[in-house]
Amino acid sequence: MAAVPPGLTGRIAVYDAPGRPFEVRSFPVRPARPGEVLVKIRMSTICRSDIHSYLGHRPSPRPGVLGHEIIGHIVELGAGVTRDMRGEPLAAGDRITWSEYFIPGPSYFTEVLDLPQKSPGVDKYGHMAATTPPHHHGGFGEYCYVLPQSWILKIPAELSDEEATPVNCGVATMMCATERAEIGMGESVVVQGLGLLGLYGAAIAKARGARLVVGLDTVAARRAMSADFGVDVALDPGAMDDAALVAKVRSLCRPDGADAVLEVCGSPEAIPAGIAFLRTGGRYALAGVVNPDSFVRIDANQVLRKLLTLRGVHNYHPRNLVEALDFVHANRKRFPFHALVDGKYGLDEVDRAMRDAGERRVLRAAIVP
Ligand SMILES: [Zn+2]
């Protein structure tokens, strides 16, 4: 029997304008073409950037299909796709994760700069109109085509769907951010924002050898939860002014301030304090300020005098995807990653899921088609 019978369709939750209700519509499913993999989706989690797209904070083609943190089972392999990134053979039925982006092919960015994730023409899952063939290229649906020039990994059997789904965005992004912040043995690290990224960031910082992780978030429930993910001291930045916060953090990160700061709160206003937390020679990775026009006024003289390094994180290198999966697999008993996906919704409940995620009632909402 053909893997994809003629006339097969798959349902997708689409929206027609920013903030408008989702509607489940059916679109045709065709066999996988060369270089593609057709996947039956098991789970897709709602990332903060899905919410930004949905609310129109950044351009997103419509009718929109969102979702890029996706896992699923292989239905059909297109010609030429035989192995995953590690060289493991792929077969129908395998549960896989894949890079949140795909690229047009080799370029100066892949061959010279080693920045494939920023290749001209890079596109992301959950960022195209549902009317654009092959229609199924987002997470909030029954099927997804993994398109050519994506990076694929088989998921170890022991990992639950809840542990595996955030790997290809949340975890891989923080693998990249902690790499860019050069977090090393015995260091003190400040994490600005204890949402999903911040909690993974704290856990990865500890695994990279940090001695002290200070977490900042205005939400009490997140601060309470953060101890399970490696945060030693959680502070409420809303409870004191910036000067008091800087003094408090610097007194914790002896002798001269934090070795590294990770910004995952998405608030440009938090950046001057982030710079002030750092010791001389410290490193600052920005991973949360994803929206255009994130203007902020900083004292550039402080960057100069303190010999600071500022680094941006957008998309991640494909190697970070391998590291992310290995990290979650190796540390699943040390950190309760399964608890981070704390809400499940059907394909016809995407509106409620987006609302709960947007209003921070859940940490990671999962769509299970
Ligand atoms: Zn994401």
mmCIF file of all heavy atoms in Angstrom, residues 160-197:
data_model
loop_
_atom_site.group_PDB
_atom_site.id
_atom_site.type_symbol
_atom_site.label_atom_id
_atom_site.label_comp_id
_atom_site.label_asym_id
_atom_site.label_seq_id
_atom_site.Cartn_x
_atom_site.Cartn_y
_atom_site.Cartn_z
ATOM 1 N N SER A 160 10.386 11.348 26.346
ATOM 2 C CA SER A 160 8.952 11.553 26.118
ATOM 3 C C SER A 160 8.767 12.653 25.074
ATOM 4 O O SER A 160 9.694 13.426 24.789
ATOM 5 C CB SER A 160 8.276 11.964 27.430
ATOM 6 O OG SER A 160 8.762 13.228 27.835
ATOM 7 N N ASP A 161 7.564 12.737 24.513
ATOM 8 C CA ASP A 161 7.262 13.818 23.563
ATOM 9 C C ASP A 161 7.467 15.177 24.237
ATOM 10 O O ASP A 161 7.947 16.127 23.616
ATOM 11 C CB ASP A 161 5.818 13.716 23.065
ATOM 12 C CG ASP A 161 5.602 12.510 22.145
ATOM 13 O OD1 ASP A 161 6.598 11.917 21.695
ATOM 14 O OD2 ASP A 161 4.430 12.156 21.897
ATOM 15 N N GLU A 162 7.083 15.270 25.529
ATOM 16 C CA GLU A 162 7.211 16.541 26.260
ATOM 17 C C GLU A 162 8.686 16.940 26.389
ATOM 18 O O GLU A 162 9.007 18.123 26.337
ATOM 19 C CB GLU A 162 6.590 16.412 27.661
ATOM 20 C CG GLU A 162 5.072 16.347 27.674
ATOM 21 C CD GLU A 162 4.527 14.945 27.375
ATOM 22 O OE1 GLU A 162 5.342 14.022 27.098
ATOM 23 O OE2 GLU A 162 3.305 14.767 27.407
ATOM 24 N N GLU A 163 9.559 15.967 26.588
ATOM 25 C CA GLU A 163 10.988 16.283 26.697
ATOM 26 C C GLU A 163 11.586 16.623 25.334
ATOM 27 O O GLU A 163 12.487 17.451 25.229
ATOM 28 C CB GLU A 163 11.747 15.078 27.288
ATOM 29 C CG GLU A 163 11.450 14.840 28.760
ATOM 30 C CD GLU A 163 11.981 13.488 29.235
ATOM 31 O OE1 GLU A 163 11.845 12.479 28.508
ATOM 32 O OE2 GLU A 163 12.528 13.443 30.345
ATOM 33 N N ALA A 164 11.082 15.961 24.286
ATOM 34 C CA ALA A 164 11.729 16.068 22.969
ATOM 35 C C ALA A 164 11.267 17.268 22.144
ATOM 36 O O ALA A 164 12.032 17.801 21.343
ATOM 37 C CB ALA A 164 11.485 14.780 22.173
ATOM 38 N N THR A 165 9.999 17.702 22.329
ATOM 39 C CA THR A 165 9.465 18.700 21.392
ATOM 40 C C THR A 165 10.186 20.059 21.467
ATOM 41 O O THR A 165 10.510 20.623 20.421
ATOM 42 C CB THR A 165 7.942 18.865 21.574
ATOM 43 O OG1 THR A 165 7.338 17.565 21.487
ATOM 44 C CG2 THR A 165 7.354 19.749 20.498
ATOM 45 N N PRO A 166 10.477 20.609 22.658
ATOM 46 C CA PRO A 166 11.145 21.928 22.673
ATOM 47 C C PRO A 166 12.624 21.903 22.271
ATOM 48 O O PRO A 166 13.259 22.948 22.207
ATOM 49 C CB PRO A 166 11.015 22.386 24.135
ATOM 50 C CG PRO A 166 9.946 21.529 24.735
ATOM 51 C CD PRO A 166 10.058 20.206 24.025
ATOM 52 N N VAL A 167 13.173 20.741 21.969
ATOM 53 C CA VAL A 167 14.615 20.640 21.687
ATOM 54 C C VAL A 167 15.021 21.516 20.505
ATOM 55 O O VAL A 167 16.044 22.207 20.556
ATOM 56 C CB VAL A 167 15.022 19.160 21.451
ATOM 57 C CG1 VAL A 167 16.375 19.065 20.739
ATOM 58 C CG2 VAL A 167 15.083 18.409 22.780
ATOM 59 N N ASN A 168 14.220 21.517 19.421
ATOM 60 C CA ASN A 168 14.698 22.149 18.181
ATOM 61 C C ASN A 168 14.532 23.668 18.156
ATOM 62 O O ASN A 168 14.923 24.304 17.181
ATOM 63 C CB ASN A 168 14.004 21.530 16.961
ATOM 64 C CG ASN A 168 12.607 22.079 16.763
ATOM 65 O OD1 ASN A 168 11.924 22.421 17.722
ATOM 66 N ND2 ASN A 168 12.185 22.177 15.522
ATOM 67 N N CYS A 169 13.932 24.263 19.204
ATOM 68 C CA CYS A 169 13.957 25.734 19.280
ATOM 69 C C CYS A 169 14.477 26.140 20.649
ATOM 70 O O CYS A 169 15.582 26.646 20.777
ATOM 71 C CB CYS A 169 12.604 26.369 18.991
ATOM 72 S SG CYS A 169 12.659 28.167 19.148
ATOM 73 N N GLY A 170 13.679 25.892 21.699
ATOM 74 C CA GLY A 170 14.047 26.350 23.046
ATOM 75 C C GLY A 170 15.420 25.881 23.493
ATOM 76 O O GLY A 170 16.275 26.688 23.874
ATOM 77 N N VAL A 171 15.645 24.578 23.453
ATOM 78 C CA VAL A 171 16.908 24.046 23.981
ATOM 79 C C VAL A 171 18.078 24.411 23.064
ATOM 80 O O VAL A 171 19.137 24.846 23.527
ATOM 81 C CB VAL A 171 16.852 22.516 24.179
ATOM 82 C CG1 VAL A 171 18.074 22.041 24.966
ATOM 83 C CG2 VAL A 171 15.583 22.095 24.906
ATOM 84 N N ALA A 172 17.895 24.236 21.755
ATOM 85 C CA ALA A 172 18.991 24.520 20.817
ATOM 86 C C ALA A 172 19.382 26.002 20.863
ATOM 87 O O ALA A 172 20.571 26.344 20.776
ATOM 88 C CB ALA A 172 18.591 24.109 19.402
ATOM 89 N N THR A 173 18.391 26.880 21.011
ATOM 90 C CA THR A 173 18.681 28.314 21.115
ATOM 91 C C THR A 173 19.546 28.594 22.343
ATOM 92 O O THR A 173 20.507 29.371 22.283
ATOM 93 C CB THR A 173 17.368 29.117 21.198
ATOM 94 O OG1 THR A 173 16.634 28.912 19.984
ATOM 95 C CG2 THR A 173 17.622 30.599 21.386
ATOM 96 N N MET A 174 19.219 27.944 23.463
ATOM 97 C CA MET A 174 20.005 28.192 24.680
ATOM 98 C C MET A 174 21.352 27.487 24.642
ATOM 99 O O MET A 174 22.310 27.929 25.293
ATOM 100 C CB MET A 174 19.202 27.797 25.912
ATOM 101 C CG MET A 174 17.988 28.670 26.131
ATOM 102 S SD MET A 174 18.261 30.441 25.814
ATOM 103 C CE MET A 174 19.356 30.872 27.173
ATOM 104 N N MET A 175 21.438 26.394 23.891
ATOM 105 C CA MET A 175 22.748 25.778 23.677
ATOM 106 C C MET A 175 23.644 26.783 22.949
ATOM 107 O O MET A 175 24.810 26.963 23.294
ATOM 108 C CB MET A 175 22.546 24.505 22.844
ATOM 109 C CG MET A 175 23.625 23.493 22.959
ATOM 110 S SD MET A 175 24.139 23.126 24.649
ATOM 111 C CE MET A 175 22.889 21.981 25.160
ATOM 112 N N CYS A 176 23.056 27.459 21.969
ATOM 113 C CA CYS A 176 23.782 28.467 21.196
ATOM 114 C C CYS A 176 24.115 29.681 22.073
ATOM 115 O O CYS A 176 25.253 30.167 22.071
ATOM 116 C CB CYS A 176 22.937 28.882 19.997
ATOM 117 S SG CYS A 176 23.756 30.020 18.890
ATOM 118 N N ALA A 177 23.143 30.157 22.862
ATOM 119 C CA ALA A 177 23.354 31.362 23.689
ATOM 120 C C ALA A 177 24.448 31.128 24.735
ATOM 121 O O ALA A 177 25.300 31.994 24.959
ATOM 122 C CB ALA A 177 22.047 31.766 24.378
ATOM 123 N N THR A 178 24.441 29.949 25.356
ATOM 124 C CA THR A 178 25.451 29.669 26.387
ATOM 125 C C THR A 178 26.827 29.459 25.758
ATOM 126 O O THR A 178 27.842 29.765 26.365
ATOM 127 C CB THR A 178 25.063 28.439 27.228
ATOM 128 O OG1 THR A 178 24.785 27.338 26.355
ATOM 129 C CG2 THR A 178 23.842 28.711 28.090
ATOM 130 N N GLU A 179 26.826 28.948 24.516
ATOM 131 C CA GLU A 179 28.088 28.829 23.771
ATOM 132 C C GLU A 179 28.627 30.218 23.437
ATOM 133 O O GLU A 179 29.819 30.507 23.638
ATOM 134 C CB GLU A 179 27.828 28.043 22.474
ATOM 135 C CG GLU A 179 29.018 27.909 21.533
ATOM 136 C CD GLU A 179 28.578 27.342 20.180
ATOM 137 O OE1 GLU A 179 28.219 26.156 20.118
ATOM 138 O OE2 GLU A 179 28.595 28.105 19.184
ATOM 139 N N ARG A 180 27.741 31.095 22.953
ATOM 140 C CA ARG A 180 28.147 32.457 22.582
ATOM 141 C C ARG A 180 28.586 33.252 23.814
ATOM 142 O O ARG A 180 29.431 34.134 23.712
ATOM 143 C CB ARG A 180 26.982 33.180 21.897
ATOM 144 C CG ARG A 180 26.470 32.501 20.646
ATOM 145 C CD ARG A 180 27.275 32.783 19.426
ATOM 146 N NE ARG A 180 27.054 34.131 18.931
ATOM 147 C CZ ARG A 180 27.927 34.801 18.173
ATOM 148 N NH1 ARG A 180 29.079 34.250 17.865
ATOM 149 N NH2 ARG A 180 27.651 36.015 17.749
ATOM 150 N N ALA A 181 28.008 32.943 24.991
ATOM 151 C CA ALA A 181 28.402 33.628 26.227
ATOM 152 C C ALA A 181 29.642 32.977 26.846
ATOM 153 O O ALA A 181 30.131 33.443 27.880
ATOM 154 C CB ALA A 181 27.250 33.620 27.232
ATOM 155 N N GLU A 182 30.124 31.907 26.216
ATOM 156 C CA GLU A 182 31.365 31.220 26.638
ATOM 157 C C GLU A 182 31.350 30.855 28.118
ATOM 158 O O GLU A 182 32.331 31.074 28.831
ATOM 159 C CB GLU A 182 32.581 32.093 26.322
ATOM 160 C CG GLU A 182 32.783 32.321 24.830
ATOM 161 C CD GLU A 182 33.902 33.328 24.567
ATOM 162 O OE1 GLU A 182 34.891 33.337 25.309
ATOM 163 O OE2 GLU A 182 33.738 34.117 23.611
ATOM 164 N N ILE A 183 30.228 30.295 28.580
ATOM 165 C CA ILE A 183 30.119 29.940 30.002
ATOM 166 C C ILE A 183 31.047 28.774 30.322
ATOM 167 O O ILE A 183 31.009 27.738 29.661
ATOM 168 C CB ILE A 183 28.658 29.599 30.354
ATOM 169 C CG1 ILE A 183 27.808 30.872 30.222
ATOM 170 C CG2 ILE A 183 28.570 29.033 31.773
ATOM 171 C CD1 ILE A 183 26.339 30.639 30.296
ATOM 172 N N GLY A 184 31.883 28.977 31.325
ATOM 173 C CA GLY A 184 32.881 27.959 31.659
ATOM 174 C C GLY A 184 32.826 27.554 33.119
ATOM 175 O O GLY A 184 32.010 28.029 33.919
ATOM 176 N N MET A 185 33.726 26.677 33.479
ATOM 177 C CA MET A 185 33.807 26.086 34.810
ATOM 178 C C MET A 185 33.938 27.152 35.899
ATOM 179 O O MET A 185 34.749 28.066 35.783
ATOM 180 C CB MET A 185 35.041 25.165 34.811
ATOM 181 C CG MET A 185 35.045 24.104 35.868
ATOM 182 S SD MET A 185 33.591 23.058 35.811
ATOM 183 C CE MET A 185 33.880 22.136 34.318
ATOM 184 N N GLY A 186 33.117 27.040 36.930
ATOM 185 C CA GLY A 186 33.244 27.900 38.106
ATOM 186 C C GLY A 186 32.740 29.317 37.933
ATOM 187 O O GLY A 186 32.986 30.172 38.787
ATOM 188 N N GLU A 187 31.999 29.574 36.864
ATOM 189 C CA GLU A 187 31.599 30.959 36.599
ATOM 190 C C GLU A 187 30.258 31.318 37.252
ATOM 191 O O GLU A 187 29.470 30.452 37.632
ATOM 192 C CB GLU A 187 31.523 31.193 35.086
ATOM 193 C CG GLU A 187 32.912 31.116 34.456
ATOM 194 C CD GLU A 187 33.018 31.843 33.147
ATOM 195 O OE1 GLU A 187 32.067 31.783 32.343
ATOM 196 O OE2 GLU A 187 34.066 32.462 32.914
ATOM 197 N N SER A 188 30.033 32.642 37.350
ATOM 198 C CA SER A 188 28.736 33.136 37.814
ATOM 199 C C SER A 188 27.975 33.686 36.612
ATOM 200 O O SER A 188 28.539 34.392 35.775
ATOM 201 C CB SER A 188 28.927 34.219 38.876
ATOM 202 O OG SER A 188 29.694 35.280 38.354
ATOM 203 N N VAL A 189 26.690 33.310 36.540
ATOM 204 C CA VAL A 189 25.879 33.613 35.361
ATOM 205 C C VAL A 189 24.556 34.237 35.818
ATOM 206 O O VAL A 189 23.949 33.765 36.777
ATOM 207 C CB VAL A 189 25.586 32.323 34.561
ATOM 208 C CG1 VAL A 189 24.693 32.600 33.363
ATOM 209 C CG2 VAL A 189 26.888 31.648 34.126
ATOM 210 N N VAL A 190 24.140 35.298 35.133
ATOM 211 C CA VAL A 190 22.836 35.896 35.400
ATOM 212 C C VAL A 190 21.916 35.599 34.223
ATOM 213 O O VAL A 190 22.311 35.781 33.069
ATOM 214 C CB VAL A 190 22.940 37.425 35.617
ATOM 215 C CG1 VAL A 190 21.559 38.024 35.877
ATOM 216 C CG2 VAL A 190 23.882 37.734 36.767
ATOM 217 N N VAL A 191 20.705 35.120 34.506
ATOM 218 C CA VAL A 191 19.722 34.835 33.470
ATOM 219 C C VAL A 191 18.569 35.822 33.628
ATOM 220 O O VAL A 191 17.874 35.812 34.652
ATOM 221 C CB VAL A 191 19.203 33.382 33.571
ATOM 222 C CG1 VAL A 191 18.208 33.096 32.452
ATOM 223 C CG2 VAL A 191 20.361 32.390 33.534
ATOM 224 N N GLN A 192 18.386 36.689 32.630
ATOM 225 C CA GLN A 192 17.311 37.677 32.663
ATOM 226 C C GLN A 192 16.065 37.093 31.993
ATOM 227 O O GLN A 192 15.993 37.038 30.771
ATOM 228 C CB GLN A 192 17.740 38.950 31.940
ATOM 229 C CG GLN A 192 18.912 39.676 32.598
ATOM 230 C CD GLN A 192 19.321 40.903 31.805
ATOM 231 O OE1 GLN A 192 19.825 40.786 30.691
ATOM 232 N NE2 GLN A 192 19.092 42.083 32.363
ATOM 233 N N GLY A 193 15.112 36.628 32.803
ATOM 234 C CA GLY A 193 13.901 36.003 32.266
ATOM 235 C C GLY A 193 13.919 34.510 32.540
ATOM 236 O O GLY A 193 14.819 33.806 32.099
ATOM 237 N N LEU A 194 12.915 34.023 33.292
ATOM 238 C CA LEU A 194 12.867 32.600 33.657
ATOM 239 C C LEU A 194 11.676 31.906 33.012
ATOM 240 O O LEU A 194 10.999 31.091 33.618
ATOM 241 C CB LEU A 194 12.837 32.438 35.184
ATOM 242 C CG LEU A 194 14.085 32.953 35.910
ATOM 243 C CD1 LEU A 194 13.890 32.909 37.420
ATOM 244 C CD2 LEU A 194 15.322 32.141 35.511
ATOM 245 N N GLY A 195 11.413 32.263 31.750
ATOM 246 C CA GLY A 195 10.474 31.471 30.955
ATOM 247 C C GLY A 195 11.186 30.191 30.538
ATOM 248 O O GLY A 195 12.225 29.821 31.095
ATOM 249 N N LEU A 196 10.642 29.539 29.534
ATOM 250 C CA LEU A 196 11.230 28.265 29.102
ATOM 251 C C LEU A 196 12.706 28.410 28.723
ATOM 252 O O LEU A 196 13.554 27.621 29.138
ATOM 253 C CB LEU A 196 10.435 27.731 27.916
ATOM 254 C CG LEU A 196 10.827 26.332 27.484
ATOM 255 C CD1 LEU A 196 9.860 25.316 28.064
ATOM 256 C CD2 LEU A 196 10.880 26.220 25.986
ATOM 257 N N LEU A 197 13.035 29.471 27.967
ATOM 258 C CA LEU A 197 14.433 29.659 27.556
ATOM 259 C C LEU A 197 15.330 29.863 28.762
ATOM 260 O O LEU A 197 16.428 29.304 28.843
ATOM 261 C CB LEU A 197 14.567 30.859 26.606
ATOM 262 C CG LEU A 197 13.956 30.751 25.225
ATOM 263 C CD1 LEU A 197 14.331 31.967 24.385
ATOM 264 C CD2 LEU A 197 14.382 29.490 24.504
#
